[in-house]
Amino acid sequence: MSSSQSFLESPPHSQASGRRRRSRFTHKQLHQLAQSTPHSPLRCIAHIDLDAFYAQCEGVRLGIPPETPLAVQQWQGLIAVNYPARAFGITRFLPLSEAYEKCPELVCQHVATWKEGEDSWAYREGAAKDIATSKVCLDPYRTESRKILACIKDALPPAPIQRVEKASIDEVFLDLSAQIHAILLERYPELNGPPPYDDPTENLPMPPTTALDWATDALVDLDGAETEDDDPDWDDIATLIGSEIVRDIRAAVYAKLKYTCSGGISKNKMLAKLGSGHKKPNAQTVIRNRAVQQFLSGFKFTKIRNLGGKLGDEVVTRFATDSISDLLTVSLDHLKKALGDETGSWLHSTIRGEDYSEVNPRTQIKSMLSAKSFRPAINTFEQASRWLRIFVADIFSRCVEEGVLENKRRPRTINIHHRQGQQTRSKQVPIPGGKQLSEELLFDSAKNLMAQVVVDGRAWPCSNLSLSVGGFEEGVSGNMGIGGFLVRGTQARSLLESERERSHGEGEDDHERPPAKRRKVDTGGIKGFLVTKEESSKGENGDQEHDGLFEAREPIHDDDNDYYEDMNNFDEDTATGETNLSPAGQRSPLSTPLPKHQQSLDSYFCTRCKSDIPLTEQAEHEDFHYAKDLAKQLQEEERDSTARTSAPKAKATPQASGGGKGKRGRPVGGGGPAGSGKTGTGTEKGQRRLAFGKG
DNA sequence: GTGGATGAG
DNA sequence: CGCTCATCCAC
């Protein structure tokens, strides 16, 4: 708040008095540093970013020398390219063939995969050809990410001083303020003394040094009016110490795990992040307060966090420029008028180097997702079900790593996302509590959700499917019996946890992002968002944004005709799962042969399909019929809604109460409900079973 | 709380 | 590109 004013005012005891000059900073501001107050003018934030992370992971795992050109492959594309390979002009998303043309010695490692019918993920020979039966697995990188995070934390002081935010799998933010405060007091005893007259608004003495040793850091040039001859103030010292800390951390990570990373050190998250990307690999960049404007003016504002998307595009078109320098000439009022008050003022301060968002000391994930794009699309519930089983195995194993089996954490909801053409839909239900979380439990819920998608209509062909769990709770017991209901919800959260949330609650997260109430305007094209509240007059279903993979198939907002159309399709689907519903006429490889591991198993005869169904398929096969029956039933209800009131029992949404699992009336066969099939899941450390067999 | 959407890596 | 993760908003 008012701290920025005193920050700019000339010190009370200035040179004019002939006495020793004093710092621009006050004792109070020094004290704020200890609390990691976001508005402290001495604040120091760092961003650390692993260099070509996935590529480094593979290099370390395989013991490949770091100078070797190395890329990580996912199907026919590259998802990570190390710096030696980049020197050959190899980039992300370059087709494999072109990459080899540019560098015949390139080492290409395919990502690990989950494969249908296999018990666990693995690095496999020729994985790229199994795109139809496998999904990629990022577990190896998560594991390495964890190790690195632990190493970084080890290199820092313990808990309250240390503030680490895991920003992604390969990035962290550090708030170094409190640690730097401690180091300042230690190194400069004169700072320990009480303020003159015990007045905290008194300015600090100047630092004793006149020339700072900036080591080998990439030091950003100063702003125009500044010169290197100017005496350093405490903010320069603080940044220098921050730079030392980051260098030590980087050295520790390399010494222990052999990963290189780049760093940015500055007064806030935005600048630190910009800094870490400034010079790579294996380098760090320091942006002193007095160099901020110089540094920033060299960037396009679309490089700034939150301006890389539609908002940034909007600003570009509004002001016909993408340069920060140009935008600096636009007045606050003008920005507000064009973008709305909040977004306007956010942008105004952001391009001036201001960002008071907090480093959120959080390293635990809040949700996890397992997904797959289908090429070609899949067309039956059974196919979807097989993928769901893989998703569940993936997610469950990650839940185990989160400590669900020890009741450390537990997800509250499960979510399915489904895509057909341009249309995406999602459904979610609470995960039934009370029981120990298990693959069966998740798989059952997932199938229920899928059935809901199916009965909603227009489910096929499905081009993308994903399953996620979220709403993780701390320390919730999943055991049956007394503990199960005694320990629940917020009561179970550790004091530490709630304490943390209280002090760093999301409430006062100052301008974490552009807070605009952006209103969705359905004009279709690239600018789906306006910042003002103008409504689009046209527009219900213009061209949807093309994503390059799928062309528009049909209008999105349609009426029930499409619903029936799709239901009819579904209805014609034969039980063998071979019917082809795709407009393009492809047949999914998944639908034809049964995986080998199922062929030899016992099967049962499905009277509706008039064919043998392996026992391992029984649960989902029955679900298949179940969803089909539901669909038919709903369709009839629709049709006869006016005439008949008696027939449809309110079975319409039996799954909605996901908790009553196994209660559903099964149309077929004596087989128990899907969930009741006990699979002796011997989850022996790290290895997880995919099989969902009946005991 | 649910479902859709943006944004970032 | 394909896959994760987080957050926000309208309902």
Side-chain angles (χ1 to χ4, degrees):
Chain A
M1 24 207 64
S2 60
S3 60
S4 59
Q5 296 159 1
S6 52
F7 175 85
L8 291 174
E9 282 164 9
S10 63
H13 309 286
S14 61
Q15 310 84 303
S17 71
R19 253 177 289 174
R20 192 179 189 288
R21 290 173 54 211
R22 299 195 79 85
S23 164
R24 293 169 20 244
F25 303 98
T26 64
H27 283 83
K28 181 180 178 194
Q29 290 167 344
L30 177 64
H31 179 71
Q32 285 177 339
L33 190 60
Q35 326 295 323
S36 302
T37 306
H39 282 81
S40 163
L42 288 168
R43 189 155 92 120
C44 184
I45 306 295
H47 182 256
I48 295 179
D49 193 356
L50 275 294
D51 301 323
F53 181 51
Y54 291 1
Q56 273 204 87
C57 287
E58 297 302 343
V60 167
R61 181 179 70 89
L62 299 168
I64 295 172
E67 326 81 67
T68 311
L70 171 66
V72 180
Q73 180 186 356
Q74 178 176 290
W75 313 132
Q76 288 309 313
L78 302 179
I79 57 171
V81 180
N82 75 354
Y83 282 82
R86 289 184 202 189
F88 289 86
I90 296 171
T91 61
R92 262 179 123 205
F93 311 134
L94 195 71
L96 207 54
S97 51
E98 292 181 38
Y100 280 126
E101 281 172 23
K102 289 172 184 281
C103 174
E105 299 91 53
L106 177 70
V107 176
C108 251
Q109 172 62 50
H110 198 281
V111 296
T113 54
W114 288 93
K115 184 172 178 161
E116 189 178 27
E118 302 290 333
D119 275 358
S120 53
W121 61 261
Y123 284 96
R124 304 170 205 281
E125 290 295 320
K129 65 173 167 35
D130 292 332
I131 184 170
T133 53
S134 305
K135 78 177 294 300
V136 305
C137 173
L138 302 180
D139 277 13
Y141 312 132
R142 292 191 193 99
T143 303
E144 293 306 291
S145 178
R146 264 192 203 120
K147 287 190 208 163
I148 293 165
L149 188 64
C151 180
I152 290 173
K153 288 180 167 182
D154 281 349
L156 289 167
I161 304 291
Q162 165 185 129
R163 263 178 104 87
V164 181
E165 173 180 333
K166 180 173 185 176
S168 78
I169 197 167
D170 67 344
E171 292 173 82
V172 292
F173 284 103
L174 313 175
D175 190 329
L176 302 176
S177 301
Q179 182 181 2
I180 289 171
H181 177 263
I183 294 175
L184 279 177
L185 295 193
E186 190 181 295
R187 284 192 198 170
Y188 304 94
E190 65 264 39
L191 293 178
N192 275 308
Y197 322 112
D198 275 341
D199 179 359
T201 66
E202 285 283 336
N203 291 68
L204 297 164
M206 269 307 245
T209 11
T210 52
L212 294 182
D213 173 21
W214 289 99
T216 55
D217 296 329
L219 202 57
V220 170
D221 287 344
L222 295 176
D223 292 346
E226 308 271 346
T227 78
E228 292 289 355
D229 295 334
D230 288 336
D231 283 345
D233 205 336
W234 290 112
D235 59 337
D236 297 302
I237 310 279
T239 312
L240 177 61
I241 295 173
S243 185
E244 289 173 8
I245 296 172
V246 170
R247 190 181 302 106
D248 288 347
I249 289 174
R250 291 175 48 231
V253 170
Y254 187 78
K256 183 160 189 187
L257 301 166
K258 294 288 178 278
Y259 289 100
T260 68
C261 52
S262 298
I265 301 96
S266 190
K267 65 173 174 179
N268 60 42
K269 287 168 86 172
M270 176 202 63
L271 290 167
K273 167 116 175 102
L274 239 33
S276 71
H278 184 62
K279 197 156 176 273
K280 302 190 77 168
N282 200 16
Q284 63 187 66
T285 298
V286 172
I287 305 134
R288 291 168 288 176
N289 288 349
R290 49 169 103 187
V292 166
Q293 285 308 319
Q294 169 70 23
F295 177 71
L296 220 42
S297 62
F299 283 91
K300 298 176 174 179
F301 57 75
T302 50
K303 298 294 179 194
I304 295 177
R305 208 165 46 130
N306 294 320
L307 287 169
K310 299 199 171 186
L311 176 58
D313 288 348
E314 175 69 16
V315 177
V316 169
T317 59
R318 289 265 178 177
F319 298 100
T321 181
D322 60 3
S323 101
I324 288 181
S325 319
D326 288 349
L327 213 54
L328 282 171
T329 67
V330 181
S331 74
L332 175 60
D333 268 2
H334 202 350
L335 286 177
K336 282 186 180 174
K337 289 221 166 57
L339 304 170
D341 278 5
E342 292 198 282
T343 306
S345 56
W346 174 84
L347 183 59
H348 184 83
S349 54
T350 296
I351 60 179
R352 284 163 178 75
E354 291 170 27
D355 169 19
Y356 300 111
S357 59
E358 290 191 59
V359 171
N360 204 335
R362 175 185 49 75
T363 53
Q364 302 215 304
I365 61 147
K366 295 178 176 172
S367 68
M368 53 179 73
L369 168 146
S370 187
K372 169 85 181 168
S373 297
F374 302 117
R375 307 186 326 238
I378 60 170
N379 289 299
T380 69
F381 190 93
E382 189 209 338
Q383 286 177 315
S385 199
R386 294 190 191 187
W387 284 107
L388 290 178
R389 191 165 53 185
I390 292 175
F391 295 164
V392 163
D394 182 13
I395 285 175
F396 183 74
S397 73
R398 285 153 65 186
C399 283
V400 170
E401 274 154 29
E402 288 288 310
V404 283
L405 293 186
E406 299 87 36
N407 300 321
K408 291 202 205 116
R409 311 188 76 210
R410 190 182 211 272
R412 258 187 305 116
T413 61
I414 181 168
N415 233 305
I416 202 171
H417 283 253
H418 171 276
R419 172 160 172 164
Q420 189 246 16
Q422 296 96 5
Q423 186 174 16
T424 70
R425 272 174 292 162
S426 70
K427 305 274 176 194
Q428 71 177 354
V429 287
I431 295 171
K435 293 189 192 57
Q436 179 75 262
L437 194 68
S438 65
E439 288 193 59
E440 292 83 357
L441 197 62
L442 292 177
F443 189 40
D444 207 43
S445 300
K447 281 186 299 180
N448 279 336
L449 290 169
M450 188 64 212
Q452 287 187 40
V453 170
V454 169
V455 301
D456 278 359
R458 276 204 223 91
W460 321 109
C462 166
S463 55
N464 186 285
L465 199 60
S466 75
L467 191 72
S468 63
V469 295
F472 275 87
E473 287 180 323
E474 309 299 318
V476 176
S477 168
N479 289 332
M480 297 282 286
I482 292 186
F485 58 87
L486 279 185
V487 189
R488 284 198 63 90
T490 53
Q491 286 180 355
R493 287 153 66 185
S494 68
L495 271 178
L496 193 86
E497 197 59 33
S498 23
E499 183 77 34
R500 250 216 294 254
E501 287 192 12
R502 214 174 304 129
S503 49
H504 316 303
E506 31 247 286
E508 46 187 322
D509 216 349
D510 203 333
H511 289 71
E512 172 71 45
R513 77 200 74 264
K517 319 165 195 322
R518 290 171 295 168
R519 290 186 71 82
K520 175 138 185 273
V521 188
D522 216 55
T523 55
I526 195 170
K527 38 180 79 157
F529 276 86
L530 287 185
V531 186
T532 60
K533 54 175 196 158
E534 305 158 19
E535 290 290 345
S536 166
S537 52
K538 64 187 205 163
E540 259 296 61
N541 58 10
D543 298 341
Q544 282 294 304
E545 191 175 352
H546 289 234
D547 62 11
L549 282 179
F550 311 99
E551 62 257 34
R553 290 179 198 279
E554 44 190 341
I556 312 203
H557 297 307
D558 231 279
D559 42 69
D560 300 19
N561 288 339
D562 279 343
Y563 173 83
Y564 287 121
E565 194 175 15
D566 207 72
M567 285 298 102
N568 289 337
N569 275 344
F570 187 63
D571 205 37
E572 285 160 14
D573 189 9
T574 71
T576 58
E578 289 190 350
T579 303
N580 180 356
L581 301 177
S582 158
Q586 343 84 318
R587 161 178 312 215
S588 166
L590 267 184
S591 62
T592 24
L594 281 171
K596 61 170 184 349
H597 75 286
Q598 291 173 346
Q599 284 173 355
S600 61
L601 296 182
D602 287 337
S603 55
Y604 76 102
F605 186 75
C606 174
T607 53
R608 297 181 66 182
C609 304
K610 314 233 184 304
S611 69
D612 281 317
I613 304 296
L615 275 186
T616 54
E617 297 279 358
Q618 184 174 8
E620 53 266 47
H621 186 81
E622 289 170 0
D623 262 78
F624 161 73
H625 283 300
Y626 177 72
K628 198 165 142 182
D629 290 338
L630 264 186
K632 207 181 274 183
Q633 183 185 330
L634 281 187
Q635 185 179 350
E636 283 162 8
E637 281 178 29
E638 256 332 300
R639 245 174 226 152
D640 311 19
S641 57
T642 50
R644 301 167 47 113
T645 51
S646 57
K649 11 334 145 25
K651 264 251 195 79
T653 60
Q655 309 90 334
S657 60
K661 108 186 177 112
K663 292 292 160 42
R664 317 187 307 250
R666 298 218 158 245
V668 181
S676 72
K678 273 287 166 217
T679 97
T681 70
T683 45
E684 46 244 344
K685 56 166 187 181
Q687 296 294 344
R688 38 272 195 185
R689 290 173 45 88
L690 270 183
F692 186 72
K694 308 216 47 147

